[in-house]
Amino acid sequence: MSSSAAAPPAGAPEHNAPAALIFDCDGTIVDTMKMFYEVDRIAAERHGLKLTRKRFYELAGVPIMDIFALLGKEQGVETDVPAIMGSMAAAKEECTVPVTLIEPVAAVVREWHGRVPLAVASSGQKAAVLGHLGEHGMLQYFDAVVTVEDVPAGRGKPAPDLYLEAARRLGVDPSGCVAYEDADLGIESVKAAGMTPVDVRLMEGYPHDDYYAE
């Protein structure tokens, strides 16, 4: 299986339709990544950790609790992950980076709504994912929303569990699903689930950040 820029194509006939379309949320449907980088960086710094933009994007798709724990291990800093998570709330209040809809992906969601089952499979926390989808008028399109709370601890992306759970809830065979992702680890998760990946970073109009700027 290979990643592609836009599959299935808009207007594809029903006999060529996939069993379901499954979408990551952050960086795929909504452009939250710039905002999350600032929030995570501020929270990490307040607890003696350094989070570069490059490392943030390398770990895109990994649950945030695991990212903080990994940073502590890498940097030899004893971490109190619940305390850092608590600092994120204050950091988010301070953050002025806007969150916007990623229109090329939103167009795919609208095109296929009502034609095949649609789901979200996100490593994000449920309240945040539901909030961002709702605020941007996208929640109504999805038959299932699977988040990190819905799989066993330590089984976020790149493990296949989130995508497999989404397929289970939709009642479809994973091998017939097409999944949209913006992160390398997320694409690994899609492939591990036996699904066909679409790398949304290759789609025309995708809002690229300078991933490797420090």
Side-chain angles (χ1 to χ4, degrees):
M1 274 179 298
S2 60
S3 301
S4 61
E14 299 300 331
H15 63 268
N16 289 332
L21 300 185
I22 304 178
F23 298 79
D24 172 52
C25 180
D26 297 309
T28 297
I29 301 171
V30 286
D31 188 8
T32 55
M33 298 301 280
K34 302 178 188 71
M35 179 273 290
F36 275 130
Y37 169 64
E38 287 301 315
V39 170
D40 295 353
R41 179 187 61 80
I42 292 169
E45 286 181 354
R46 289 176 179 171
H47 293 266
L49 297 171
K50 181 178 181 180
L51 177 60
T52 66
R53 190 182 302 270
K54 179 177 183 293
R55 192 66 176 128
F56 173 79
Y57 280 105
E58 286 173 347
L59 295 171
V62 176
I64 188 59
M65 303 83 72
D66 297 341
I67 289 176
F68 288 137
L70 179 60
L71 290 176
K73 184 177 180 181
E74 290 176 344
Q75 298 171 26
V77 176
E78 186 173 345
T79 56
D80 182 343
V81 173
I84 304 175
M85 295 293 291
S87 294
M88 287 181 63
K92 190 170 184 179
E93 289 296 321
E94 299 168 17
C95 183
T96 59
V97 178
V99 173
T100 57
L101 191 65
I102 298 178
E103 189 53 44
V105 181
V108 175
V109 174
R110 298 187 194 104
E111 168 73 19
W112 285 88
H113 177 245
R115 297 171 63 188
V116 299
L118 305 179
V120 168
S122 170
S123 289
Q125 296 179 312
K126 193 170 295 292
V129 171
L130 293 176
H132 286 135
L133 291 173
E135 288 165 11
H136 291 87
M138 299 302 292
L139 185 58
Q140 62 184 314
Y141 295 112
F142 295 101
D143 302 294
V145 176
V146 177
T147 60
V148 68
E149 296 94 332
D150 298 317
V151 298
R155 296 296 298 176
K157 300 171 188 177
D161 299 46
L162 286 161
Y163 282 103
L164 292 175
E165 177 62 15
R168 187 192 70 80
R169 293 188 183 191
L170 295 178
V172 297
D173 185 334
S175 67
C177 297
V178 173
Y180 290 72
E181 266 284 354
D182 72 303
D184 293 342
L185 293 178
I187 290 172
E188 286 184 30
S189 177
V190 172
K191 291 179 178 180
M195 301 180 182
T196 300
V198 175
D199 187 340
V200 300
R201 295 170 295 188
L202 303 178
M203 295 176 72
E204 184 177 354
Y206 183 82
H208 290 279
D209 194 4
D210 184 0
Y211 290 0
Y212 295 102
E214 293 298 326

